[in-house]
Amino acid sequence: MESHIHSMANLFSQLGLPAEPADIERFISASRPIGGGLTVECAPFWSEAQRVFLKEQIILDADWAGVIDELNSRLSK
């Protein structure tokens, strides 16, 4: 099985969010820091469907996990 590298734009599209670079930066700036020891999938701004997707991808260490980790890092700063 071939693994895929997903971009931040791909992740935002998958989550149903605007995926242009400026939109992504605006979202991250407005949403950080998630703080309180929360991980990205536990942040309060996700819908239930988004939260489930993020959590499942992390648990499965799926192709999306790398870019989700990157988003977690950027939201934690």
Side-chain angles (χ1 to χ4, degrees), residues 27 38-39 48:
F27 177 89
L38 293 178
T39 53
E48 186 60 25

Side-chain angles (χ1 to χ4, degrees), residues 5-72:
I5 306 282
H6 296 287
S7 69
M8 191 66 67
N10 295 145
L11 177 60
F12 272 66
S13 290
Q14 181 69 26
L15 293 169
L17 299 171
E20 292 298 318
D23 297 319
I24 293 168
E25 291 307 315
R26 217 176 352 266
F27 177 89
I28 291 170
S29 291
S31 302
R32 75 173 171 228
I34 54 177
L38 293 178
T39 53
V40 68
E41 75 277 8
C42 296
F45 44 77
W46 302 121
S47 70
E48 186 60 25
Q50 291 168 326
R51 186 180 336 282
V52 167
F53 172 77
L54 292 167
K55 185 174 183 177
E56 285 178 351
Q57 298 307 303
I58 293 167
I59 289 170
L60 296 172
D61 196 24
D63 291 340
W64 292 101
V67 72
I68 293 170
D69 286 342
E70 178 186 342
L71 179 60
N72 186 52

